[in-house]
Amino acid sequence: MSLTRDQIRRVAQLARIALPAQEADVVLERLNRVLSMIDQLQAVDTEGIEPMSHALDVVQPLRPDAVTETDQRAALQAGAPAVEDGLYLVPKVIE
Amino acid sequence: MTWEIVVGLETHAQLATRSKMFSGAATAFGAPPNAQACAVDVALPGVLPVANRAAVEMAVKFGLAVGARIHRRSVFARKNYFYPDLPKGYQISQYELPIVQGGVLAIQAGDGEKTIRLTRAHLEEDAGKSLHEDFHGMTGIDLNRAGTPLLEIVSEPELRGAKDAVAYARALHALVRWIGICDGNMQEGSFRCDANVSVRRTGDTRLGTRCEIKNLNSFRFMEQAIEFEARRQIDLLEDGGAVVQQTRLFDPERGETRAMRTKEEAHDYRYFPDPDLLPLVVAEADVEGIRASLPELPEARRQRFAAMGLGAQDARALVGARELADYFEACVAAAGAGQAKLCANWIIGELAGALNRAGLDIARSPVPAPGLAALLARVSDGTLSGKMAKEVFDAMWAGEGAADEIIARRGLRQISDAGALEKIVDDVLAKNARQVEDYRAGKDKAFNSLVGQVMKATQGKANPAQVNEILKARLAR
C-alpha cells in the first residue's frame, strides 16, 4: 500500500499541520516507507489471535466519583493569550 | 404515492456524577466560566485521564435496565476533530467496543405499544461551550462542561415518524431518571437528542438517504423538526429530486430545519484506541451487584398496575416518573387495594392538574399520599359526592387541614339516608307537577331538572346516585 500526494494533503489538513508543497514529497516518501513496514506486519498470520487495544496486559484503574480538583482558573489562564470574564478567547468561529 | 418515515435517535444523557468522566473537577451546573475546568479538562500537556467508577456503573445500570449485553471488556477511543471547545483535539469516546450493546425499550404507539431495539450505548466525555457573542470579534470558550460524562444511547432506525420518536424519547427520558443515572433536565442540556430522518416508498426495504437533525432539546421541537424534515424530503423526491446526506439544525422560530454550513472536507474522525486509557473491564461480581441494586423497572411496574385493574393508559401515565408511581402505591397502601382505580383517577386527574397549575413536582405535593387516601375513603363510603370531594381537595391543597377536619368544619356530609331523601324527592315531585308530566310524555330533560331541584333543596348534599334511583322508582309508578 502506498499513499498519493492528495492523501498526504488531506491528512495534513485533517491534522491541521501546515505542509508546504516542497515538503509534501519528502513526507510522502517517508510515510510510504513506514507503510511498507506495516505491510510487512500485515503479512503475519494472526488467525485466531484476539486483537489488543493496548500493549500492556493490564486493565483501566477506576477512580472514586469525588471532586478533587478545586478552581484553578487564575493559574490556568495565566498562560492563555487572551481571556475575558473568565472565558478563553479564540479567533471567531461560526458554525 | 405513500411514504414511510424512518427515524433513528441518538441521545446524549449526562450522567449524574459529582465529578467528570476523566478528571476530579466538579460537574455542577451554573458555575462561573472555567471554574470547574482543571488541568485535564483544558488539556495541559502531560496530564492523564483516569475513568470515573460511578460513570461506568451508571452505564452498566442502563444496560441492565434495557436488557442489553454488557461487554465485560470495552475500549476507549479517540474521535479526532478540531474545534476550540475541544482543547485536546479529540473527544474520548468508545467506538468498536462499546460498554453496552443491544437492548430494547417499550414505547407507546397509538393505543398499543411497540418495542424498539437499541443499537448500543457508550461512554464518552462532553465538549466545552463556545459563546459566539461578540468579544471584540473573538469567540469565548467555557470549558466547565468539557469532560462531563455522557452516555450516548443509539436506537435502531425503527421509529416510524415523529410521534414514535417522541414516544421513544419520553420513555428513555423517564427510564434514565427512574434508575437515577441522569437528572433529565433538558433546559440545562442534560438530555439531548439528534434525529436521523429518512423516507422511503411504502413497501421498500432499503433505507433512504438520511439527514441528521442536531440538538433537539425539547419533545415539542423534536416532533416539529421531524415532521418538517420528512415533509421536505418527500417533496424533494416527489419533484424528482434527491436527498443529500447532511447535518441540519432546527429553527424553532420558523419551525423548519436548515442545512448547517457544510465543511469542505467530509468528516473523518480517524478513531483509534486511546493509548492513555487501558481496556475497561467490568467484573462479573460488579455487574451482579448493580443488577441487585436496580429498582423495579417502569415496565414491570406498569404491568403490575394494570393487574390492579387500571386501564392501560392510566397504568402507563403512573409510571411516567418514579415519584409518581411511588405516590400512587403509597395512596393505594393507605386506601386499600380495592381503591386502586379511584386513587389512579384522582392522581392523574385532580392532583396532576393542581400540580401542573402550581408548577410543582409530585414529590412536593401539598397533599401527601395518605392525606389523599383519607379523602378518597370518604368518597367510597358515600360521605362525599364527587363534587364535594373536589371542594375538600381544594381546601386540603390550600392547607386547611385533613379531609375529615374539613368535612366536619364545613358540614359537608352527603345525605344518603334513604328515608330523608325519599321525603325530599316526594316534596319536589309534588311541587313540580309539570316536569313530571313532561317526563312521562317522554321528555328526558325533565328528569335532569328534577334532579337539580332535589340538589337545590339539599344544598347539593344529596347523594346523586341515590337521588337518581329514588326518582326513577317514583316516576315509574
Side-chain angles (χ1 to χ4, degrees):
Chain A
M1 185 198 173
S2 66
L3 293 167
T4 64
R5 282 187 82 170
D6 277 350
Q7 285 173 310
I8 290 286
R9 264 200 297 268
R10 180 170 148 74
V11 170
Q13 158 70 20
L14 283 170
R16 300 296 192 278
I17 294 171
L19 187 64
Q22 63 270 28
E23 279 179 40
D25 285 333
V26 182
V27 172
L28 177 64
E29 198 209 313
R30 284 184 192 156
L31 275 182
N32 275 335
R33 246 184 289 155
V34 175
L35 279 179
S36 75
M37 288 187 258
I38 291 172
D39 280 342
Q40 259 182 307
L41 289 173
Q42 299 273 44
V44 177
D45 179 11
T46 55
E47 187 67 36
I49 294 172
E50 201 185 318
M52 296 171 77
S53 60
H54 204 281
L56 301 177
D57 190 18
V58 277
V59 301
Q60 173 64 31
L62 299 174
R63 40 168 258 279
D65 179 27
V67 176
T68 53
E69 303 296 313
T70 48
D71 182 5
Q72 301 146 60
R73 185 173 80 189
L76 292 172
Q77 292 196 335
V83 293
E84 189 174 311
D85 300 339
L87 299 164
Y88 294 90
L89 296 190
V90 298
K92 195 156 187 84
V93 276
I94 302 166
E95 295 257 292
Chain B
M1 176 111 32
T2 58
W3 296 87
E4 183 175 53
I5 301 165
V6 179
V7 184
L9 285 188
E10 289 171 20
T11 306
H12 288 94
Q14 182 181 318
L15 297 174
T17 57
R18 283 182 284 273
S19 65
K20 291 191 178 172
M21 184 67 227
F22 298 111
S23 85
T27 55
F29 184 81
N34 292 305
Q36 292 177 168
C38 70
V40 172
D41 308 319
V42 305
L44 285 195
V47 297
L48 281 173
V50 186
N52 186 333
R53 175 180 296 278
V56 173
E57 288 171 351
M58 288 178 189
V60 171
K61 205 168 184 182
F62 175 78
L64 293 173
V66 294
R69 187 159 143 218
I70 310 295
H71 283 300
R72 293 288 180 276
R73 183 186 170 89
S74 63
V75 171
F76 288 111
R78 292 186 180 181
K79 177 181 179 177
N80 299 279
Y81 66 94
F82 278 91
Y83 207 73
D85 57 26
L86 187 76
K88 290 195 296 296
Y90 59 85
Q91 176 192 27
I92 305 176
S93 181
Q94 295 191 304
Y95 187 56
E96 283 175 325
L97 276 175
I99 186 163
V100 173
Q101 193 146 37
V104 292
L105 191 67
I107 68 163
Q108 190 177 358
D111 290 336
E113 63 178 58
K114 252 188 204 177
T115 300
I116 302 300
R117 285 181 300 152
L118 305 182
T119 313
R120 58 188 275 157
H122 65 253
L123 283 164
E124 62 181 31
E125 56 175 347
D126 209 345
K129 213 157 122 185
S130 300
L131 294 125
H132 298 290
E133 298 99 81
D134 204 17
F135 291 96
H136 334 289
M138 300 182 89
T139 292
I141 304 292
D142 177 5
L143 296 174
N144 278 350
R145 208 180 58 188
T148 299
L150 301 177
L151 189 65
E152 178 173 335
I153 303 155
V154 184
S155 84
E156 289 287 302
E158 293 183 343
L159 302 159
R160 298 285 173 260
K163 293 251 179 323
D164 264 14
V166 171
Y168 166 88
R170 281 189 189 281
L172 190 60
H173 185 252
L175 180 66
V176 294
R177 291 175 65 225
W178 188 285
I179 61 176
I181 65 165
C182 172
D183 69 16
N185 190 322
M186 295 175 88
Q187 281 83 42
E188 293 176 4
S190 299
F191 187 90
R192 10 187 236 270
C193 299
D194 303 335
N196 285 300
V197 180
S198 65
V199 299
R200 63 183 173 194
R201 291 189 164 81
T202 306
D204 268 8
T205 48
R206 273 187 38 206
L207 293 172
T209 306
R210 66 168 197 264
C211 287
E212 182 180 15
I213 315 171
K214 282 269 179 207
N215 270 335
L216 296 165
N217 61 1
S218 89
F219 298 126
R220 196 161 57 90
F221 291 165
M222 176 185 292
E223 185 164 351
Q224 288 174 5
I226 293 171
E227 265 165 11
F228 175 89
E229 179 58 21
R231 190 71 250 162
R232 186 189 71 87
Q233 293 183 15
I234 291 168
D235 287 348
L236 258 175
L237 295 171
E238 288 189 339
D239 290 347
V243 175
V244 179
Q245 184 169 343
Q246 58 188 186
T247 303
R248 300 178 69 88
L249 281 177
F250 179 64
D251 178 348
E253 307 252 302
R254 295 163 157 237
E256 61 184 31
T257 65
R258 266 203 308 268
M260 279 172 76
R261 218 168 64 178
T262 44
K263 295 177 182 118
E264 284 157 39
E265 297 269 355
H267 275 305
D268 182 347
Y269 293 128
R270 294 153 295 141
Y271 281 98
F272 63 91
D274 191 330
D276 285 346
L277 286 154
L278 294 156
L280 176 63
V281 171
V282 189
E284 183 72 34
D286 288 341
V287 174
E288 290 317 310
I290 294 166
R291 194 192 303 277
S293 77
L294 271 181
E296 185 187 19
L297 296 171
E299 204 40 37
R301 219 160 174 189
R302 190 179 66 78
Q303 285 171 19
R304 198 157 53 74
F305 288 177
M308 290 162 86
L310 305 190
Q313 292 227 330
D314 287 357
R316 183 172 291 285
L318 287 169
V319 298
R322 196 166 153 190
E323 296 78 14
L324 183 63
D326 287 345
Y327 187 102
F328 168 70
E329 296 226 52
C331 194
V332 174
Q339 308 301 323
K341 200 159 164 35
L342 183 65
C343 293
N345 288 345
W346 272 77
I347 291 167
I348 296 166
E350 214 61 27
L351 180 67
L355 289 168
N356 210 359
R357 282 191 296 278
L360 287 175
D361 283 343
I362 187 125
R364 296 176 50 206
S365 168
V367 179
L372 182 64
L375 167 63
L376 298 183
R378 295 294 158 262
V379 175
S380 54
D381 73 7
T383 307
L384 298 177
S385 66
K387 208 174 145 210
M388 288 171 171
K390 280 177 188 157
E391 185 186 332
V392 176
F393 177 83
D394 288 343
M396 290 170 76
W397 183 272
E400 290 177 28
D404 284 339
E405 290 166 33
I406 295 164
I407 291 166
R409 203 179 310 130
R410 299 196 178 189
L412 285 169
R413 195 160 282 271
Q414 185 169 238
I415 303 169
S416 302
D417 172 353
L421 283 177
E422 275 165 12
K423 249 173 87 182
I424 297 164
V425 168
D426 287 342
D427 199 37
V428 165
L429 290 178
K431 283 185 189 153
N432 294 276
R434 242 192 76 202
Q435 269 91 339
V436 174
E437 260 173 55
D438 284 351
Y439 176 78
R440 293 203 163 121
K443 287 187 187 159
D444 288 343
K445 260 201 199 149
F447 185 79
N448 294 336
S449 154
L450 290 168
V451 173
Q453 293 293 329
V454 176
M455 287 312 212
K456 201 172 154 197
T458 58
Q459 287 114 48
K461 289 179 189 170
N463 180 328
Q466 262 182 300
V467 171
N468 274 339
E469 221 171 274
I470 296 167
L471 257 177
K472 273 193 183 134
R474 288 288 198 268
L475 290 168
R477 277 183 195 167

